[in-house]
Amino acid sequence: MIDETHDSSARSFLETDDRSDFPIQNLPLGVFRRRDEIGHGHIATRIGDQIFDLSAARRTGLLADADGAIADACGETGLNRLMSLGRAASRSLRRTIFQLVKAGSAHEEAVRRCLFPVDEAEMLLPAQIGDYTDFYASVNHATNVGSMFRPDNPLLPNYKWVPIGYHGRASSIIVSGTPVRRPFGQTKDEKAAGPEFGPTKRLDFELEVGAFIGKENALGTTIAIDEAEEHLFGLCLVNDWSARDIQAWEYQPLGPFLAKNFATTISPWIVTADALEPFRSPAASRAEGDPQPLPYLAAADGRGFDLALEVWIRTSRMREAGLAAARLSSTDFQKMYWTFAQMIAHHASNGCNLRSGDLIASGTVSGEKREERGSLLELAWRGSEPVELPNGEIRRFLEDGDEIILQGRCSREGFAPIGFGECRGRIANDS
Ligand code: MN
């Protein structure tokens, strides 16, 4: 549903430059706190380098035109209540905000009193995340990883039938900028007689996209595939940090556990499903000979997100030398084998209730080409093809002090480009 909020000629009275991820056409939602403030956060949107505090806007009557439940939800300390109101509510809030911040707004003076510079804000998790599920929706990633362990038979027979996922852990989801401690764990060298316990030697990132659940489904009910996007509030970037040596030893037979749940970083601004409307494209087509999805996963109009993703690295030595981050990978979210609608419909297909604020991650996003791989495991092919950085450093896996920065941006002819900001995390030096 394209409306006036997507008009590429729309401008805010707040200045944004053309490269900003946050022009008036984006209007993402997040939760911030002033750096000098103790206590809870405030729901806000962002235009350029300015945060527009929606809780302050509500207090001063600026949201009076919005539905009472929507305005009240903006006074909460997290986005869960707003998410629970469904797509019509978030669309309505988007239109209200748009009218307030557009050039020529009658409320410019009052809006300006609710602004706060991004540089002086601390971003918090945007919602209370009750549950976190990580899927495995990139067939290229699944094929790459599978072929390292089963060269003759990389894809398991269920892959093209069932969206594979596992239950992750919500308590260790952290917001961009939070340092990551190198985890300890049990690992076993192939040649060693027994396992040892110590810091992981194979720390990795995973480039992923996250979807926040909006409207809930009750326990025991399902979500029809063609209604699944009604339950999709918006997207963020996700780095599913992974300890490959711990994973290799622990994963059989029940899947990932401590190799994954020590930290998962997300970008702080949720780009709403409505903001992403201009950047939809047909779901990636299945190869000839692939099975058609079972009816409960077959959408009348399967749509993906045309979202360009990048991974950057900045090591301690690069920082000391004043060097900028180097790009490790560049790929596109459009090529995923399973769409978020399919992941949501599948997740609820057994009657599992999805709750507002639950996070569903896509799994590592990898393309077909080498430079499109979304993890170091794949880029350096399990350590056998080390990655050389522009300053001559070599990486098989991450070292202490390495910082990984994920970025995502949508662009399409005729529309204003929008972006996700950064999902950033540095491996602490003190581990
Ligand atoms: Mn993952």
Side-chain angles (χ1 to χ4, degrees), residues 134 166 206 208 240 260 364:
D134 194 19
Y166 68 94
E206 288 187 344
E208 304 197 15
D240 178 25
K260 298 277 192 178
T364 307

Side-chain angles (χ1 to χ4, degrees), residues 349-400:
S349 64
N350 64 346
C352 173
N353 50 327
L354 304 183
R355 293 180 297 188
S356 309
D358 284 359
L359 181 66
I360 286 182
S362 62
T364 307
V365 184
S366 291
E368 286 174 359
K369 303 192 192 110
R370 182 183 172 146
E371 64 271 19
E372 295 174 337
R373 297 173 185 168
S375 67
L376 256 184
L377 176 71
E378 292 163 89
L379 286 163
W381 209 255
R382 215 179 168 188
S384 66
E385 298 172 22
V387 173
E388 183 172 358
L389 304 179
N391 69 344
E393 283 186 275
I394 296 288
R395 284 294 179 276
R396 290 177 172 82
F397 292 96
L398 296 173
E399 298 190 5
D400 290 352

Side-chain angles (χ1 to χ4, degrees), residues 22-96:
F22 305 104
I24 188 173
Q25 290 84 0
N26 192 340
L27 304 176
L29 294 166
V31 172
F32 84 105
R33 181 166 63 192
R34 308 162 77 104
R35 283 202 193 281
D36 58 4
E37 192 178 32
I38 298 167
H40 64 75
H42 315 283
I43 290 176
T45 186
R46 172 174 176 173
I47 299 109
D49 294 330
Q50 295 291 317
I51 284 173
F52 176 24
D53 180 345
L54 295 178
S55 69
R58 170 178 168 267
R59 273 199 312 279
T60 55
L62 275 171
L63 302 183
D65 288 349
D67 179 276
I70 298 172
D72 287 350
C74 291
E76 301 265 317
T77 57
L79 285 162
N80 301 69
R81 173 91 63 92
L82 183 67
M83 289 167 163
S84 74
L85 299 176
R87 286 287 297 272
S90 45
R91 197 175 300 131
S92 162
L93 177 63
R94 174 179 167 85
R95 290 206 181 113
T96 301

